[in-house]
Amino acid sequence: MARAFSTASTSEIDVELTVIEGRIPTDMYGYVFINSACGTVNSKGLPYQENLPEGGFNEEFGSPLINGDGVVIRFDLNESEKVKVSTGLMKTPCYYADVATSSPDSTYGKNFKFRNIGLGRRSLRLGTRNQLSTAVMPIRFKSEGKTRLLATFDAGRPYEFDPKTFKLITPIGKNKVWRSFLPFFMNTPFKTVMSTAHPVFDPDTEELFTVNFGKSKKEAWMDKLLFEFYVRNEGRLREFLSKLSERSKLDAKGQELRVAQAKIINEIDNFVFSEHLRRLPFVPKILARIRELFNKLSGKVLLSNNSVFLMKWAGQKTMEEWEVLDENGKAINLAHNMHQIGFSKNYIILCDTNFKFTFDTMLNFPFQNDPKIGPMIRKIMCQPMNENSMLYLIKRSDLSDSNNKKVKAKSISLIHETVHFSVDYDDSDDVVTLHSAHNCCACVADWLRSYDTLATDPDKKIKNDKLGLIAVGEMDIGRIGRLKIDAANGKLIENQSDFKFFDGLENGNITKAHTWGIGLYTHRDMLSHETNTPKITHIFWQSYGLKEDHLSKFIFDMYSDSTRPQKQFKSVDMLNLTKKGAPPVLQCVNTQTMESEEFYAFGKEQYMWTLQFVPRKNATHNVPSGKDGYILTTVINGDPNDNFTELDYKPEVWIFDANDLKNGPKVKLKHPDFSFGFTIHSVWVEHADEVSSPDYAINIREDYPLKHSKIFGVIPFPDMLKSKRDKKIAKLFEKEIYQKFDS
């Protein structure tokens, strides 16, 4: 039987990979850790099946692949000519709550069950899952000397885990320190916390920096109402939305479309709010007045809250924090989120990244497999990302005054969408250097859905095996950047900055190094917890390429010439190039010349996900330090099965010589028990020994006290008596959660 495109298991393994071809280099050492999203407690891996084992449609079918429980993969490279692999599932308190409430015979009821509702997973009564499925961050305090590792996620605080056993040790920062995305009267045990998936650690100062931010909560309020009604009265909501979809006019363009979207949102808003109020003992005549009063208060008092907090942690239970303001002393209003932050010797760099991990994308999946409702909800909830992005520079010396809890940042606008970047530690003469990835006219926060059709053939649906894949079909060419910033004045030094793209075209076909679908990257000492890199000299880039079954008609329309008139390649050109295709590429770019020094092109059905630089044990003569090592990659290799009727996608590990990409991998490896579907960010560390519980470890019982708010409902009227709900929550924590962390 052929293996599906995205197949993975949450079962933990400890195996030695076998060689498919080539030979394992003898001068590798250390460990590579890769984080991956791996389905839910129900699916126990990937793919999400269309039907349940007991029969009936699976509501998780078509969920985004990046929305899943975190499985961390550890590669041990220390034995000559051996590569050993171990995996561990990140079992947070909310993971155990998910397990306890997920079974059909659970005694807690449907209001406690977690659901995939977009890029997030949420329970009405318990809150939002912190899935820890995005990145791995190393830290080390010199007084101890041990390497410690954090698992991270955009919608949750980081957790430290043991590098050897994968057991979670402690969250970073007490629960009460982290602000929820939702209003105070919507409190749940597992708060909706928005942070960065890429906190940063400075080994020179032994400080970890991260962020905690919130956007205007009025949108979150209405999305919460929609989710609550969805859980409590799914049939009634489905009936309403189905009728609404039949009379909606979402084929319009421009301003007419925006008006239609606003009208539909208002109708849903009115319906859900009115349905909630009907449950309260008020006469119908005053419903409109209550609604009017509440909207006035919610917009100005209860729910208006745009804020960004910079947080610093140096190995203590508490965290220092500063509210970040712009140059005019006003709160920062984020368009998207802060997926990535960075630092240099004297500055912290925050970025409003073009990755829409915000509340609208976390809650746009109800009925998403319904051919009527799904497209309508997506059309009104999923908007194009901004075509630029904002950087915010904070002077680190401004953080020295412990009495001042506000700090101003200089704002710099970039002309292209930005998701990831690295920073040179050297910022001499107040010049900060960023090396950036620009995902132009791509939508990494959207995913391929069951009702999607191909842009190249709108009558043909996306195949089931690609459902849930991030929408890596690009509507313009990606760029890589070397950006020089005058930090003192908060300005981009344009004559020293470069946004570079390679189209790879040769005789009308894309055969050379390119930046179509620019993705992840790696470089020597990236995320090092031992040394800062003054100047990054070489960066290894991943490009997804162009594939017909990755570009949906929805993305094609959303990033059309009318919405993106400044595109380098027009829509008709993108359609033609996508039909021809472009292979995935691994390439090395010299950051000084901004030229591609060499590259390797993968086959048509070969997908490279993660890439990680691994240094050699001993320096090689005449090889630049930035290329003196290996690139470990995870690859899904699609080959025809024995009957040649479908592709058999095999998970493999390919290791390249970083100074000789063009000649292909030095070795390819696999193991029948090692299965991954979608791997994400990675890190290399020299040591990964078992660690003891640190002084800053937080007691989970104390972190989640059984003193939950009585104000859980959608309307802020307190319950006078302790409810059955709170008793169930207390039982859940005592029986299913606390005991897992007591030892």
Side-chain angles (χ1 to χ4, degrees):
M1 182 177 178
R3 180 186 184 274
F5 174 72
S6 293
T7 301
S9 172
T10 54
S11 298
E12 298 176 338
I13 64 168
D14 187 0
V15 300
E16 181 182 333
L17 299 183
T18 57
V19 173
I20 302 170
E21 62 179 69
R23 186 173 180 180
I24 300 173
T26 59
D27 53 353
M28 294 191 300
Y29 71 112
Y31 301 83
V32 170
F33 286 84
I34 298 177
N35 210 335
S36 66
C38 205
T40 68
V41 300
N42 302 311
S43 68
K44 296 179 174 59
L46 295 170
Y48 293 105
Q49 299 295 336
E50 187 169 2
N51 296 304
L52 298 171
E54 63 272 19
F57 182 76
N58 179 11
E59 65 179 21
E60 294 181 349
F61 177 67
S63 295
L65 298 184
I66 59 173
N67 178 28
D69 287 329
V71 172
V72 173
I73 306 166
R74 181 184 67 218
F75 295 88
D76 182 344
L77 309 174
N78 291 294
E79 291 190 47
S80 181
E81 297 193 77
K82 290 185 179 181
V83 176
K84 296 180 177 180
V85 175
S86 303
T87 63
L89 182 60
M90 298 291 99
K91 299 176 182 178
T92 55
C94 59
Y95 166 83
Y96 289 110
D98 199 347
V99 171
T101 59
S102 63
S103 64
D105 58 350
S106 170
T107 60
Y108 296 98
K110 68 175 184 178
N111 290 348
F112 282 72
K113 179 182 176 182
F114 287 86
R115 290 171 166 83
N116 283 1
I117 52 173
L119 289 184
R121 183 166 172 83
R122 185 169 176 80
S123 159
L124 178 61
R125 290 303 184 211
L126 297 176
T128 301
R129 282 292 317 275
N130 181 2
Q131 295 171 309
L132 297 180
S133 58
T134 307
V136 177
M137 178 75 214
I139 61 174
R140 182 171 68 91
F141 299 110
K142 296 183 179 69
S143 60
E144 181 189 30
K146 291 266 190 175
T147 297
R148 293 183 175 274
L149 296 178
L150 310 180
T152 67
F153 190 54
D154 287 280
R157 54 182 170 162
Y159 268 75
E160 181 180 340
F161 68 94
D162 190 288
K164 185 77 171 178
T165 66
F166 298 101
K167 183 179 179 180
L168 291 190
I169 296 173
T170 181
I172 302 302
K174 292 182 178 179
N175 204 0
K176 64 182 181 181
V177 173
W178 291 88
R179 291 169 173 81
S180 172
F181 196 100
L182 293 171
F184 71 93
F185 50 84
M186 293 184 187
N187 286 340
T188 51
F190 303 116
K191 296 188 289 190
T192 305
V193 170
M194 298 306 297
S195 183
T196 177
H198 297 283
V200 289
F201 180 76
D202 185 339
D204 287 0
T205 63
E206 300 183 66
E207 296 170 323
L208 178 86
F209 292 95
T210 186
V211 291
N212 183 198
F213 62 88
K215 296 176 65 178
S216 173
K217 295 181 179 178
K218 190 166 184 177
E219 294 177 10
W221 165 267
M222 292 317 304
D223 287 336
K224 171 65 164 58
L225 291 183
L226 176 61
F227 178 58
E228 178 155 350
F229 196 75
Y230 165 64
V231 172
R232 288 177 167 172
N233 201 334
E234 180 179 338
R236 177 90 173 93
L237 181 61
R238 181 187 291 274
E239 180 185 3
F240 167 76
L241 292 176
S242 182
K243 291 179 178 178
L244 182 61
S245 68
E246 291 174 358
R247 51 188 172 84
S248 63
K249 298 179 180 179
L250 291 175
D251 292 330
K253 305 292 183 184
Q255 182 60 30
E256 187 179 348
L257 173 61
R258 288 188 285 274
V259 170
Q261 289 170 328
K263 183 178 179 181
I264 292 172
I265 291 172
N266 189 56
E267 285 197 55
I268 296 174
D269 177 349
N270 289 336
F271 170 78
V272 175
F273 198 94
S274 299
E275 288 290 326
H276 276 291
L277 288 181
R278 289 184 200 283
R279 296 187 290 113
L280 297 174
F282 296 109
V283 294
K285 291 183 179 180
I286 64 171
L287 291 184
R289 184 61 186 273
I290 292 173
R291 173 60 184 280
E292 179 184 353
L293 175 63
F294 183 80
N295 274 349
K296 182 178 180 180
L297 289 173
S298 68
K300 295 183 178 180
V301 180
L302 297 174
L303 306 175
S304 56
N305 184 12
N306 298 309
S307 57
V308 174
F309 289 87
L310 175 67
M311 307 173 80
K312 184 175 76 171
W313 179 77
Q316 71 276 28
K317 289 188 178 182
T318 58
M319 303 179 80
E320 291 185 83
E321 64 176 15
W322 295 263
E323 184 177 6
V324 183
L325 309 175
D326 64 16
E327 300 93 330
N328 301 315
K330 294 184 178 179
I332 292 174
N333 186 7
L334 296 179
H336 300 304
N337 83 344
M338 287 191 164
H339 178 71
Q340 177 92 61
I341 67 174
F343 70 98
S344 64
K345 184 175 182 179
N346 295 295
Y347 292 91
I348 303 295
I349 300 95
L350 310 183
C351 183
D352 187 354
T353 53
N354 299 69
F355 174 43
K356 298 181 299 186
F357 204 130
T358 49
F359 211 83
D360 55 346
T361 56
M362 289 174 67
L363 189 61
N364 69 355
F365 197 66
F367 312 121
Q368 279 301 296
N369 291 299
D370 186 297
K372 291 182 179 179
I373 302 173
M376 180 188 70
I377 291 182
R378 184 203 218 176
K379 191 92 176 201
I380 63 175
M381 299 287 276
C382 188
Q383 303 298 318
M385 291 184 292
N386 287 355
E387 55 187 323
N388 59 1
S389 53
M390 292 295 298
L391 295 176
Y392 298 95
L393 261 65
I394 300 167
K395 202 166 186 177
R396 292 175 69 167
S397 60
D398 289 346
L399 306 177
S400 59
D401 184 358
S402 59
N403 295 318
N404 183 14
K405 291 306 177 184
K406 295 181 185 291
V407 62
K408 287 186 178 181
K410 289 185 169 64
S411 309
I412 301 100
S413 179
L414 304 180
I415 61 173
H416 294 298
E417 301 98 314
T418 306
V419 176
H420 294 113
F421 61 90
S422 287
V423 187
D424 287 353
Y425 192 68
D426 183 359
D427 55 16
S428 302
D429 302 320
D430 257 357
V431 175
V432 174
T433 304
L434 269 71
H435 306 277
S436 48
H438 303 282
N439 310 78
C440 302
C441 294
C443 213
V444 294
D446 199 47
W447 62 95
L448 299 177
R449 323 235 180 155
S450 60
Y451 46 81
D452 268 327
T453 60
L454 299 177
T456 56
D457 187 353
D459 293 327
K460 185 181 293 185
K461 295 185 70 172
I462 298 287
K463 292 182 179 179
N464 278 1
D465 68 344
K466 297 296 172 62
L467 297 184
L469 186 66
I470 57 173
V472 291
E474 210 166 75
M475 281 302 290
D476 197 12
I477 194 164
R479 273 84 165 171
I480 56 176
R482 183 196 60 211
L483 312 179
K484 299 283 187 176
I485 296 171
D486 175 358
N489 296 301
K491 295 184 181 298
L492 188 69
I493 307 174
E494 295 189 5
N495 62 355
Q496 297 181 31
S497 299
D498 196 0
F499 296 96
K500 193 71 175 282
F501 70 83
F502 312 121
D503 59 27
L505 285 166
E506 186 175 47
N507 299 323
N509 295 309
I510 301 171
T511 59
K512 299 187 294 184
H514 63 73
T515 54
W516 295 105
I518 201 70
L520 303 178
Y521 63 93
T522 187
H523 56 78
R524 187 178 187 121
D525 292 327
M526 184 171 173
L527 302 179
S528 174
H529 60 304
E530 296 181 339
T531 181
N532 285 309
T533 304
K535 301 286 185 184
I536 300 168
T537 61
H538 296 83
I539 297 181
F540 297 84
W541 291 97
Q542 165 210 51
S543 296
Y544 291 116
L546 298 174
K547 294 180 181 291
E548 285 193 83
D549 58 354
H550 286 182
L551 181 59
S552 67
K553 181 69 164 54
F554 177 79
I555 294 296
F556 181 84
D557 291 340
M558 189 160 67
Y559 293 95
S560 65
D561 295 344
S562 60
T563 59
R564 288 290 195 271
Q566 304 303 320
K567 289 194 302 181
Q568 184 73 31
F569 288 81
K570 299 300 181 184
S571 294
V572 63
D573 298 321
M574 291 305 307
L575 208 59
N576 291 330
L577 288 169
T578 300
K579 286 179 180 178
K580 290 183 176 182
V585 159
L586 168 63
Q587 65 180 308
C588 177
V589 172
N590 185 310
T591 63
Q592 300 306 305
T593 65
M594 289 298 285
E595 296 296 333
S596 179
E597 293 191 343
E598 62 174 338
F599 75 98
Y600 176 82
F602 290 80
K604 184 177 180 180
E605 283 298 327
Q606 293 172 344
Y607 300 79
M608 179 186 69
W609 289 144
T610 300
L611 64 165
Q612 177 59 49
F613 187 95
V614 177
R616 283 189 173 90
K617 283 183 181 179
N618 301 304
T620 308
H621 184 62
N622 290 332
V623 174
S625 175
K627 299 178 70 176
D628 195 11
Y630 299 92
I631 307 297
L632 184 149
T633 66
T634 55
V635 177
I636 300 296
N637 189 2
D639 289 327
N641 68 359
D642 293 339
N643 297 322
F644 292 90
T645 56
E646 56 183 334
L647 290 176
D648 188 15
Y649 291 99
K650 302 170 183 175
E652 299 174 356
V653 175
W654 295 12
I655 300 175
F656 295 79
D657 185 329
N659 195 44
D660 185 25
L661 299 180
K662 61 183 178 296
N663 286 316
K666 306 296 291 184
V667 66
K668 299 179 182 180
L669 306 110
K670 68 175 183 178
H671 191 281
D673 295 335
F674 180 43
S675 183
F676 56 83
F678 186 74
T679 63
I680 316 179
H681 295 286
S682 60
V683 71
W684 175 87
V685 295
E686 183 175 359
H687 303 289
D689 302 321
E690 189 170 353
V691 297
S692 58
S693 180
D695 293 338
Y696 54 79
I698 294 170
N699 183 285
I700 294 299
R701 284 182 179 269
E702 297 174 0
D703 204 40
Y704 291 95
L706 294 178
K707 296 178 181 178
H708 307 300
S709 169
K710 303 293 193 307
I711 316 174
F712 275 82
V714 283
I715 304 300
F717 294 107
D719 297 327
M720 300 305 294
L721 301 173
K722 189 159 183 70
S723 66
K724 292 181 180 179
R725 171 204 61 229
D726 292 334
K727 291 179 181 178
K728 283 186 177 181
I729 291 174
K731 177 184 175 183
L732 174 71
F733 271 78
E734 192 61 55
K735 185 177 179 181
E736 309 290 350
I737 298 174
Y738 289 152
Q739 297 176 22
K740 303 293 193 303
F741 295 90
D742 283 343
S743 58

